[in-house]
Amino acid sequence: MTRSLGTRNVFSASTIDQIPKQVAGGLMLGDPMAIAVPDLDRTDYLLILGANPVESNGSLCAAPDFPGRLKALRARGGKLVVVDPRRTRTAASADEHLFVRPGTDAYLLLGIVHTLLAEDLTKIDIEVNGLEELRRLAEEFTPQAAARVCGVPAGEIVRLARELAAAPTAAVYSRIGTCTAEFGTVAQWLVDVLNILTGNFDRPGGVMFTRTAAVELFRTGQPYTAGNWHSRVRALPEALGELPVATLADEIETPGEGQVRALITVAGNPVLSAPNGPRLDRAFRDLDFMVCVDPYLLPADPAAGAGPAVGGRDPGAADDDRLRSGGGRRPGHARRDDPRPGAPRGHRDSGLTVRGQGSGGAARRAGRRQRARADAGRHAAARPLRPVAGRPAGQPARCRPGRAGAAA
């Protein structure tokens, strides 16, 4: 679509999600899709930063029954440590929860790196370069200096480093909480640095690289580059063919050559998922044209600037993408979708089907979630509606809340 439109104005949720991890992988390993994930079933020590896999089932590190695997880790004598500003469900289930000041994970990680190098606790077992540059970089980030910024006591930082080094196997894993921060890419790089320094990179019980269950559509075989072009208004660099969605409103509001005047969103609602949603909402109302492609029509959705809304693909297809990108095994799930406008009476949409592998208990839990979503949908439908520009009152078209949409 973007090629046919001849535009480089492509935005998605990736730039407010995992792209810092991919940029770090591209710069460090040459492949932005090379994402090492914890070997959950064999590790002895798991340090999680800014992730809540008990709720999310793992995201970049996806596995069936992630909560059960964390329980199994502790049951076999392993240790689970969570670093997070919030008392998440994952933090509550851990052996230890360390509160960190939001956005300062890179300081904490550098403090751990400093300790490993200063106390000669490293066990590097793969070929690396840049070790001396790393040593110089980490020199000023003593545990005491890191503690003043991140809020984790210096003694705890030193202990974390020693525990990671002493564990028979260990894995450090981080997710969106460490990505959506000022030094998100640095934090993602440091996670892999720690796994390398402790001898747990590409090793059973440490972090390992997955194999896709289907063809790898996202790998080009070309050397990784970024910043191949920049956004018009703020000159922000491109990454993996996308511009930061944080600058989408700038591109719509700022007059001049190349100003965005039309928008296509696919399976997303940037008014809810992108930064500064109210500003985007106002900007969308000034567009000449906007279309939403989505399998859902939710009357209470706030993306009121949309014009026509057209049906999209099977809502479960996002999980198929993960099979091609190495994200992990497809989990069982259930989704509810009200019948499409004009669907035959009694038609059962694919969104009502429980899919994936699971026990009868999993199916029952999925059924309960389906009923909860139905109740939520009925409550949402009772809210006041806002008409869409160019449509009669009572005929709103909305995008489904979710990922920030692709724009043109």
Side-chain angles (χ1 to χ4, degrees), residues 106-172:
Y107 291 88
L108 170 63
L109 294 169
L110 276 168
I112 298 175
V113 169
H114 175 99
T115 303
L116 291 173
L117 294 172
E119 297 188 3
D120 196 23
L121 299 176
T122 60
K123 297 180 291 186
I124 303 172
D125 56 2
I126 61 173
E127 184 177 349
V128 299
N129 57 37
L131 187 57
E132 290 308 312
E133 289 88 344
L134 175 66
R135 193 181 302 274
R136 288 194 295 271
L137 173 68
E139 187 173 1
E140 64 180 289
F141 292 93
T142 64
Q144 293 74 21
R148 286 194 292 270
V149 179
C150 72
V152 178
E156 299 296 296
I157 296 175
V158 172
R159 182 177 57 81
L160 283 177
R162 292 172 178 171
E163 288 181 353
L164 283 169
T169 60
V172 182

Side-chain angles (χ1 to χ4, degrees), residues 328-355:
R329 178 177 164 187
R330 179 175 180 171
H333 64 274
R335 296 173 184 265
R336 183 185 189 281
D337 182 20
D338 290 327
R340 296 189 307 272
R345 183 177 179 83
H347 173 75
R348 180 174 181 173
D349 281 336
S350 60
L352 288 170
T353 305
V354 178
R355 301 183 302 169

Side-chain angles (χ1 to χ4, degrees), residues 31-406:
D31 182 357
M33 301 304 296
I35 298 175
V37 297
D39 184 4
L40 296 173
D41 298 329
R42 291 181 285 186
T43 194
D44 297 289
Y45 191 102
L46 180 59
L47 174 60
I48 295 178
L49 302 98
N52 187 13
V54 169
E55 296 278 8
S56 68
N57 204 50
S59 186
L60 287 180
C61 173
D65 189 20
F66 207 118
R69 291 169 190 266
L70 295 180
K71 292 178 182 177
L73 161 65
R74 300 181 65 194
R76 63 177 180 264
K79 185 172 183 177
L80 172 62
V81 179
V82 172
V83 175
D84 202 293
R86 296 176 59 246
R87 183 72 170 173
T88 64
R89 285 183 61 192
T90 303
S93 67
D95 294 287
E96 185 176 359
H97 175 206
L98 296 174
F99 289 91
V100 65
R101 198 164 286 133
T104 64
D105 304 271
Y107 291 88
L108 170 63
L109 294 169
L110 276 168
I112 298 175
V113 169
H114 175 99
T115 303
L116 291 173
L117 294 172
E119 297 188 3
D120 196 23
L121 299 176
T122 60
K123 297 180 291 186
I124 303 172
D125 56 2
I126 61 173
E127 184 177 349
V128 299
N129 57 37
L131 187 57
E132 290 308 312
E133 289 88 344
L134 175 66
R135 193 181 302 274
R136 288 194 295 271
L137 173 68
E139 187 173 1
E140 64 180 289
F141 292 93
T142 64
Q144 293 74 21
R148 286 194 292 270
V149 179
C150 72
V152 178
E156 299 296 296
I157 296 175
V158 172
R159 182 177 57 81
L160 283 177
R162 292 172 178 171
E163 288 181 353
L164 283 169
T169 60
V172 182
Y173 173 68
S174 68
R175 258 310 277 130
I176 191 169
T178 60
C179 285
T180 54
E182 184 178 3
F183 302 108
T185 304
V186 174
Q188 305 316 306
W189 168 65
L190 288 169
V191 165
D192 283 336
V193 166
L194 283 180
N195 286 317
I196 291 173
L197 291 179
T198 56
N200 289 295
F201 194 75
D202 198 20
R203 173 194 176 197
V207 294
M208 303 182 72
F209 296 95
T210 62
R211 292 183 177 179
T212 57
V215 61
E216 297 180 349
L217 295 182
F218 304 111
R219 286 197 162 110
T220 65
Q222 300 298 315
Y224 175 73
T225 60
N228 296 295
W229 61 87
H230 294 74
S231 64
R232 178 180 64 98
V233 179
R234 295 170 57 189
L236 299 178
E238 159 274 344
L240 298 178
E242 298 184 16
L243 294 171
V245 73
T247 196
L248 175 57
D250 302 317
E251 298 297 319
I252 297 173
E253 294 174 343
T254 306
E257 184 178 356
Q259 180 183 7
V260 170
R261 300 305 307 150
L263 179 71
I264 302 172
T265 66
V266 181
N269 185 355
V271 168
L272 290 186
S273 59
N276 204 338
R279 181 186 176 193
L280 274 174
D281 193 10
R282 293 190 299 270
F284 288 172
R285 296 170 190 273
D286 291 332
L287 289 168
D288 296 331
F289 176 78
M290 179 177 176
V291 63
C292 297
V293 181
D294 206 291
Y296 295 87
L297 290 174
L298 295 187
D301 197 305
V310 299
R313 63 179 182 171
D314 179 346
D319 292 317
D320 297 326
D321 290 342
R322 296 170 75 187
L323 297 178
R324 295 190 287 269
S325 63
R329 178 177 164 187
R330 179 175 180 171
H333 64 274
R335 296 173 184 265
R336 183 185 189 281
D337 182 20
D338 290 327
R340 296 189 307 272
R345 183 177 179 83
H347 173 75
R348 180 174 181 173
D349 281 336
S350 60
L352 288 170
T353 305
V354 178
R355 301 183 302 169
Q357 300 179 0
S359 64
R364 287 191 295 273
R365 289 191 296 273
R368 288 195 294 269
R369 290 194 296 269
Q370 175 181 317
R371 290 191 293 273
R373 290 191 181 104
D375 292 339
R378 283 191 290 271
H379 288 306
R383 299 173 189 162
L385 305 182
R386 290 183 292 174
V388 174
R391 283 175 171 254
Q395 295 185 17
R398 306 287 197 266
C399 299
R400 172 177 177 258
R403 298 171 294 178

